[in-house]
């Protein structure tokens, strides 16, 4: 029977959506009452201080390229603030992004190349190569920790005019903590399920009236509950110093070092799940294996080291003109051996069923060196206001892969053993480099107090050089071109607090734009999608119409948007020739609703709902014959709310819904074509013992819901969702 869960939301989804949209009306009524109360008291002379901004609703983006407040930005923008990261104990980027509807690690990778690190899907597209730290691309497939993160900014829709080559779905930016003019310490020690232990330290020292030093430290060690043999251990330190704070000339110097040693998770075999079938009677009649089952070997490991140095110089020529120059050098070294089950080539021996265990291995170094100069100016000409941001970027990105490989081996599909000898085999090294010169300019033009126009463009001149060896031969390929990306928008203020907007943007991704790897008609055309040097850049066009309302003294932001993204020149695998051809197109359209901020002085909210209708042309993209984009939930919902019950007690609760995920179409047979929708609820309780100490208890997956968080390309394996876990944290402030 065809799964209908991706056709329309369940009654629970409709109920929650009704409650969520009804919240707009409730909040609007509260706002009207507040306004009415103010009018009734207009005969009194009242002196009030400026209201403090909500910690749930940052009012502007951190980058120098964005010329308007978030409430007046003509795109879908969501920010996961530091306050929410703390309350949820969201210690990784992937955890934090669960606060944005339709965004998540839904795809666990190819059969022979399991995804590592933050493999993020957004609006139907892999967005892993569009992750930035302080506006600079953060390369490498690692798991990013949030111990040195202030906010996480999510911009949906093409961001090519902002960053150059980027994913069609948008960008994710992690804003780092910076020194400030105060002296204080925030520290935490936590213990939780599966012997999870975590400690952090945030120490800020004011050295004089204009200079401050800050250091953030993290240590984290534990196992993964619900999974055998999976563990992690990581440490990080991020010292920084700032000069000239509060003056017209400022200098920031930052360093970040993170080291992680862990056992990677290759997932669980999908035997016994709905939709699974096999010609082997033992498998066809088997029950699902335990979600704890480990299909790796005792030799599996992951070792990551990241070192990043950043300097940022800022100078205010006056109140209306600021120059910013940023230089960054970053290197990420990653080594791993990850085993993943593959249910092909099945054999039976002594009443046991065996398949193949693929050995995914890597020994890579990613480097980036960039210098970015930005000039921001505000001025008026003939009564028309301008807010201009323009700049130039010089960037070199390098990828090096050293020979390192292991042969696949046999594995018992129903009762795997980790005690297996692994055999080194021939490895093929590769080298990739992309040099880029980017020039951009943005302007927000205020025509009247109610009407403004905004636009921007960026030109990137790039050259990618790829050298690689494989079983099929040697490659020495180059690709160079110029990319032109642009955006344009209009905004009309209906009232002082609410607006309507429209926006259109174009973004492009050239061959080799994801991982610097290139192929030609004679090498690997059957295994690499959009990397052929004869292909034209993948092009995304997005149109969006929306409204934003900033209420309660700008403490609460309500947003609604309708969008459509069309991706052209998409490389699709031709089922006849088994080669990639550039005749595909994709479309993602739908709407999003969001709320973030303070509903009252004691009730704080962050919530969102997204409906994504997707399709592909010229091909059936999923294994069940539909043309929807795989690994993309049609309906998704997320919420997090806290209530200050008393001066020293805060309670928090959140719920997430992810709709049905469909698997991509390929040659696999007998594997599940989709995995079901699910709800997950989390909670938090905090007790402030005194001004120095508070205790916080987080419980995740309250109902111990069993769900599938991600599925691999062919459906042979899945990543189980985390079971019910808890974390008790002591926070110290002085």
């Amino acid at each position: 029977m065809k799964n209908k869960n991706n056709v329309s939301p369940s009654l629970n989804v409709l109920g929650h959506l009704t409650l969520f949209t009804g919240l707009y009306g409730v909040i609007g009524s509260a706002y009207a009452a507040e306004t009415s109360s103010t009018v009734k008291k207009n005969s009194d002379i009242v002196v009030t201080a400026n209201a403090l901004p909500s910690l749930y609703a940052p009012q502007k983006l951190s980058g120098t390229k964005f010329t308007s407040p978030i409430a007046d930005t003509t795109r879908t923008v969501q920010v996961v603030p530091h306050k929410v990261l703390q309350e949820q104990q969201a210690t990784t980027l992937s955890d934090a992004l669960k606060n944005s509807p339709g965004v998540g690690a839904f795809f666990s990778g190819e059969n022979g190349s399991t995804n590592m690190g933050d493999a993020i899907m957004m609006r139907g597209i892999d967005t892993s190569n569009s992750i930035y730290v302080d506006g600079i691309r953060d390369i490498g497939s690692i798991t990013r920790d949030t111990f040195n993160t202030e906010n996480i900014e999510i911009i949906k829709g093409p961001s090519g005019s902002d960053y150059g080559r980027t994913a069609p779905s948008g960008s994710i930016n992690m804003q780092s903590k910076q020194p400030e003019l105060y002296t204080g310490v925030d520290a935490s020690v936590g213990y939780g399920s599966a012997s999870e232990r975590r400690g952090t330290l945030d120490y800020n020292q004011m050295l004089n009236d204009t200079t401050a030093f800050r250091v953030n430290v993290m240590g984290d060690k534990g196992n993964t509950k619900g999974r055998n043999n999976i563990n992690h251990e990581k440490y990080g330190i991020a010292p920084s110093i700032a000069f000239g704070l509060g003056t017209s000339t400022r200098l920031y110097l930052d360093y970040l070092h993170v080291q992680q040693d862990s056992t990677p998770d290759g997932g669980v075999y999908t035997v016994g799940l709905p939709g699974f079938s096999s010609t082997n009677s033992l498998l066809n009649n088997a029950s699902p294996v335990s979600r704890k089952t480990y299909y790796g070997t005792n030799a599996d490991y992951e070792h990551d080291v990241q070192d990043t140095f950043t300097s940022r110089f800022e100078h205010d020529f006056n109140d209306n003109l600021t120059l910013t120059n940023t230089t960054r050098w970053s290197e990420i070294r990653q080594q791993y051996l990850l085993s993943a089950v593959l249910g092909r080539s099945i054999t039976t021996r002594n009443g046991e069923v065996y398949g193949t265990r693929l050995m995914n291995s890597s020994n890579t170094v990613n480097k980036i060196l960039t210098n970015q100069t930005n000039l921001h100016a505000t001025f008026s000409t003939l009564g028309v206001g301008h807010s201009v941001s323009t700049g130039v970027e010089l960037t070199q990105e390098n990828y090096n892969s050293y020979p390192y490989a292991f042969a696949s081996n046999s594995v018992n599909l129903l009762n795997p053993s980790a005690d297996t000898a692994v055999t080194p085999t021939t490895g093929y090294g590769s080298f990739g480099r992309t040099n880029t010169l980017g020039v951009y300019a943005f302007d927000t033009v205020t025509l009247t107090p109610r009407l403004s126009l905004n636009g921007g463009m960026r030109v990137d001149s790039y050259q990618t050089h790829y050298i690689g060896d494989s079983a099929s031969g040697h490659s020495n390929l180059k690709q160079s071109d110029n990319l032109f990306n642009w955006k344009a928008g209009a905004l009309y203020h209906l009232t002082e607090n609410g607006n309507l907007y429209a926006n259109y943007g174009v973004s492009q991704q050239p061959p080799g734009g994801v991982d610097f790897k290139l192929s030609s008609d004679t090498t690997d055309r059957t295994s690499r999608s959009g990397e052929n040097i004869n292909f034209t850049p993948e092009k995304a066009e997005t149109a969006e119409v929306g409204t934003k309302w900033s209420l309660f003294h700008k403490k609460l932001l309500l947003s609604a948007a309708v969008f459509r993204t069309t991706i052209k020149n998409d490389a699709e695998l031709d089922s006849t020739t088994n080669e990639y051809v550039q005749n595909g197109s994709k479309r993602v359209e739908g709407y999003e609703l969001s709320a973030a901020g303070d509903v009252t002085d004691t009730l704080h909210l962050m919530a969102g709902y997204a409906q994504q209708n997707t399709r592909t042309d010229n091909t059936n993209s999923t294994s069940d014959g539909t043309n929807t984009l795989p690994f993309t939930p049609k309906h998704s919902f997320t919420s997090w709310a806290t209530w200050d019950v008393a001066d020293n007690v805060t309670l928090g609760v959140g719920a997430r819904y992810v709709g049905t995920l469909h698997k991509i179409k390929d040659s696999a047979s007998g594997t599940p074509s989709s995995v079901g929708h699910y709800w997950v609820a989390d909670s938090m309780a905090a007790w402030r013992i005194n001004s120095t100490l508070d205790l916080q208890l987080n419980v995740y997956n309250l109902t111990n819901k069993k769900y599938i968080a991600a599925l691999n390309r062919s459906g042979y394996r899945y990543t189980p969702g985390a079971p019910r876990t808890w974390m008790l944290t002591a926070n110290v402030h002085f």
Side-chain angles (χ1 to χ4, degrees), residues 532-587:
N532 194 292
I533 59 174
N534 297 312
F535 284 173
T536 58
E538 181 184 68
K539 186 177 182 180
E541 302 171 353
T542 291
E544 180 174 322
V545 177
T547 181
K548 297 183 182 182
W549 292 81
S550 186
L551 307 179
F552 303 148
H553 304 291
K554 298 185 178 181
K555 287 190 173 185
L556 179 69
L557 180 63
L558 305 181
S559 304
V562 179
F563 66 90
R564 172 183 286 181
T565 296
T566 302
I567 303 168
K568 301 177 180 179
N569 303 328
D570 184 52
E572 298 285 353
L573 188 65
D574 187 289
S575 58
T576 303
T577 64
N578 199 35
E579 292 185 348
Y580 280 94
V581 291
Q582 206 171 21
N583 63 356
S585 67
K586 301 176 182 177
R587 175 178 290 179

Side-chain angles (χ1 to χ4, degrees), residues 185-190 647-649 685-696 728-734:
V185 173
D186 288 288
S188 68
V189 177
D647 289 341
N648 63 339
V649 177
W687 176 33
R688 288 171 288 282
I689 299 175
N690 52 47
S691 60
T692 302
L693 175 65
D694 60 78
L695 298 178
Q696 177 176 322
L728 179 63
T729 306
N731 300 303
V732 178
H733 324 275
F734 56 85

Side-chain angles (χ1 to χ4, degrees), residues 136-137 165 368-372 393-397 434-438 458:
I136 298 173
R137 190 186 307 276
R165 74 176 199 279
I368 184 170
L369 176 64
T370 184
N371 181 266
Q372 304 181 357
E393 300 179 2
L394 291 167
T395 303
Q396 182 180 95
E397 299 165 86
T434 296
N435 294 322
T436 306
L437 168 63
R458 177 178 176 126

Side-chain angles (χ1 to χ4, degrees), residues 123 543 545 561-565 588-592 610-613:
R123 288 193 174 176
V545 177
V562 179
F563 66 90
R564 172 183 286 181
T565 296
V588 184
E589 60 186 10
Y591 64 91
E592 288 200 29
Q611 184 188 79
Q612 302 176 115
N613 299 298

